[in-house]
Amino acid sequence: MSAEFEYTLRRSARARNVRLKVTPRDGLVVVVPKRYPAKRIPALLTARRDWIESALARVAPRREHLAGHDPRDRPRELELQGIGEKWVVEYRPTTASRISVASHDDMRLVIFGPVDDAAACRAATKRWLARTARDRLVTRLWSIADEHGFQVNATSVRWQRTRWGSCSSRGNISINAKLLFLPRQLVDHVLLHELCHTVQLDHSSAFWSLFERYEPGCRAVRRDLRDAWRYVPPWIEADI
């Protein structure tokens, strides 16, 4: 362990050089080739001190956000700004061997089964959220596509750590289920962003000109998106 920085050491058979990365979940991670001498790491970290300090400062707010997660916690409410809904989560223990979820018209999400298993309850809630995202957010994506004449090949919903969405060269769009928690303006921004990638795959000036044609001021909204992780509950982030 370095006298200056705490870090996680990962040895990789595929690594050819030492690589440093800083993430909100793991902090400083040092990836080294399988036979790299650990005694050389402290000097390397000292040489990269300025970069490490800057990177740690950037992720510090997100690390603090994640620190609010207690593995024993179960969600009590779901504020889904992206679809304008707020759900109350209730837990009802039963003798069933597996967790099940039922949604009610009065915006209650009831979870049945061995509800003392907090991790299983969170996993079941995330499955319900993913289904909701496929139903509501994907529908919104197709609506925007139809409105502006974009051609989409296929859609999917995933839980992703860093990306809000992605688009392949074949026009397959994947959206992050975490978008459910973001304000609608940011959700529409992400969806339109990915739809523009069906025409212009890169982030060239041509892409931004196309994007601004449909969303004037999109660059300013993109800046707001950088802090959008604050809307996502820590238990969601911690379990991805």
Side-chain angles (χ1 to χ4, degrees), residues 7-62:
Y7 62 90
T8 299
L9 177 62
R10 293 180 183 166
R11 294 189 178 276
S12 170
R14 300 174 60 184
R16 294 293 177 265
N17 300 291
V18 177
R19 182 163 59 94
L20 306 182
K21 63 179 183 178
V22 174
T23 71
R25 180 197 293 256
D26 301 319
L28 175 61
V29 179
V30 182
V31 182
V32 301
K34 198 170 183 179
R35 300 183 185 281
Y36 189 86
K39 65 182 180 180
R40 296 173 57 183
I41 294 175
L44 184 149
L45 298 186
T46 297
R48 299 291 305 278
R49 178 193 305 164
D50 290 347
W51 179 88
I52 294 170
E53 289 179 345
S54 176
L56 288 172
R58 284 197 302 272
V59 302
R62 293 194 67 176

Side-chain angles (χ1 to χ4, degrees), residues 80-123:
L80 308 181
Q81 296 187 64
I83 58 175
E85 296 179 359
K86 187 172 183 178
W87 291 75
V88 174
V89 185
E90 298 179 0
Y91 297 90
R92 296 183 184 175
T94 70
T95 57
S97 60
R98 299 182 63 182
I99 295 287
S100 59
V101 180
S103 57
H104 296 265
D105 291 341
D106 59 355
M107 311 300 287
R108 286 183 303 118
L109 194 68
V110 183
I111 297 181
F112 302 89
V115 295
D116 287 339
D117 187 339
C121 288
R122 293 194 301 270

Side-chain angles (χ1 to χ4, degrees), residues 57-212:
R58 284 197 302 272
V59 302
R62 293 194 67 176
R63 285 181 63 76
E64 184 177 354
H65 181 67
L66 288 174
H69 169 65
D70 186 330
R72 299 167 295 181
D73 286 346
R74 301 172 301 181
R76 295 292 177 178
E77 65 179 24
L78 303 170
E79 188 168 359
L80 308 181
Q81 296 187 64
I83 58 175
E85 296 179 359
K86 187 172 183 178
W87 291 75
V88 174
V89 185
E90 298 179 0
Y91 297 90
R92 296 183 184 175
T94 70
T95 57
S97 60
R98 299 182 63 182
I99 295 287
S100 59
V101 180
S103 57
H104 296 265
D105 291 341
D106 59 355
M107 311 300 287
R108 286 183 303 118
L109 194 68
V110 183
I111 297 181
F112 302 89
V115 295
D116 287 339
D117 187 339
C121 288
R122 293 194 301 270
T125 305
K126 285 180 62 179
R127 289 193 294 272
W128 179 85
L129 287 166
R131 291 194 298 271
T132 301
R134 281 191 288 271
D135 180 38
R136 304 289 292 279
L137 297 184
V138 170
T139 298
R140 178 62 178 156
L141 175 72
W142 282 105
S143 176
I144 297 174
D146 290 343
E147 179 184 353
H148 297 300
F150 290 105
Q151 298 297 314
V152 179
N153 183 49
T155 59
S156 62
V157 172
R158 301 176 184 175
W159 292 103
Q160 300 183 61
R161 288 190 185 183
T162 56
R163 291 186 175 186
W164 295 112
S166 61
C167 179
S168 75
S169 59
R170 299 180 62 184
N172 299 330
I173 293 180
S174 175
I175 57 177
N176 194 330
K178 291 189 293 186
L179 286 172
L180 286 168
F181 295 94
L182 273 57
R184 286 186 179 184
Q185 179 190 14
L186 294 183
V187 174
D188 284 355
H189 172 88
V190 172
L191 299 182
L192 186 55
H193 181 112
E194 300 310 328
L195 286 168
C196 287
H197 277 315
T198 64
V199 177
Q200 192 73 35
L201 197 58
D202 56 23
H203 285 111
S204 63
S205 58
F207 168 83
W208 289 107
S209 294
L210 176 66
F211 199 177
E212 288 174 343

